[in-house]
Amino acid sequence: METDPRFAEFVARRGDALLRYGYVLAGNPHDAADLVQEALLKLRAAWPRLLTKENPESYARTTMARLHVAVWRLRRREVLSWEPPEHGYHDALPDGGGQAMWEALAVLPRKQRVVLVLRYYEGLDDAEIAATLGISRGTVRSQASRALDKLRSAVQEDEISGNVRAGQGERR
């Protein structure tokens, strides 16, 4: 099968943006790369149909969001091992307030995190998010509300603990 030069041009031009989008969805570079790869495979298969549409990137992003939400079904079937890994690996987080926000986002359930990414990173409205994820607008609003409540409480807890630590440092 020959590769359409327009598809190769699209991947070269928008691949990094899709990878950043995948990172925001998944929270780590490995899962982000997997999302992009899967989405590009699906995009390649649908490429002849998408040439008539204006924005193939929208198709890729929608595919990535749906794949990300569907991952829990696959992980539910995983076989657990009795032998834990020898050592863990954690990505370096940004310093300061950005670190607290990434940690709070990482704790959110998958669907809540996806709704926030689509709303604030992609700039989609509730109807578009609902259509992308195949859920109702009410579910989008409730998931976003719950996620924002969790983020607010995490930020407040961080500020309180930061103030307590600062106050303890002044007494010494």
Side-chain angles (χ1 to χ4, degrees):
M1 174 185 286
E2 286 188 32
T3 303
D4 186 344
R6 292 175 289 187
F7 178 75
E9 179 184 319
F10 170 78
V11 172
R13 194 170 21 92
R14 299 305 301 159
D16 289 340
L18 290 174
L19 193 57
R20 287 189 301 272
Y21 178 65
Y23 185 82
V24 172
L25 280 176
N28 71 65
H30 307 292
D31 289 342
D34 290 344
L35 282 174
V36 172
Q37 184 176 12
E38 289 293 322
L40 288 177
L41 286 172
K42 292 182 182 293
L43 179 66
R44 175 63 184 106
W47 189 253
R49 287 181 294 135
L50 293 173
L51 289 178
T52 61
K53 297 186 179 185
E54 293 179 17
N55 191 359
E57 185 172 355
S58 173
Y59 179 90
R61 288 176 183 255
T62 299
T63 301
M64 289 171 65
R66 288 181 178 166
L67 285 169
H68 179 67
V69 170
V71 165
W72 70 270
R73 291 184 195 125
L74 298 174
R75 291 198 176 152
R76 186 173 48 175
R77 296 183 202 132
E78 285 182 352
V79 178
L80 299 176
S81 172
W82 286 103
E83 298 178 22
E86 292 181 21
H87 55 79
Y89 175 79
H90 297 285
D91 290 332
L93 295 171
D95 294 336
Q99 180 177 2
M101 185 57 70
W102 277 108
E103 289 173 354
L105 280 171
V107 175
L108 290 177
R110 182 176 299 276
K111 192 176 279 188
Q112 290 178 6
R113 188 170 55 235
V114 170
V115 167
L116 289 184
V117 166
L118 291 175
R119 180 179 279 179
Y120 295 107
Y121 185 77
E122 284 295 308
L124 301 181
D125 63 19
D126 291 346
E128 293 170 321
I129 296 170
T132 299
L133 299 179
I135 57 178
S136 71
R137 287 188 299 197
T139 302
V140 169
R141 288 191 293 271
S142 69
Q143 292 292 318
S145 176
R146 289 179 185 146
L148 291 173
D149 286 344
K150 288 181 182 181
L151 289 177
R152 283 185 196 107
S153 66
V155 169
Q156 288 174 351
E157 288 174 11
D158 188 52
E159 287 175 357
I160 290 170
S161 65
N163 290 339
V164 169
R165 278 184 253 129
Q168 289 173 347
E170 291 173 2
R171 291 183 202 158
R172 291 184 184 171

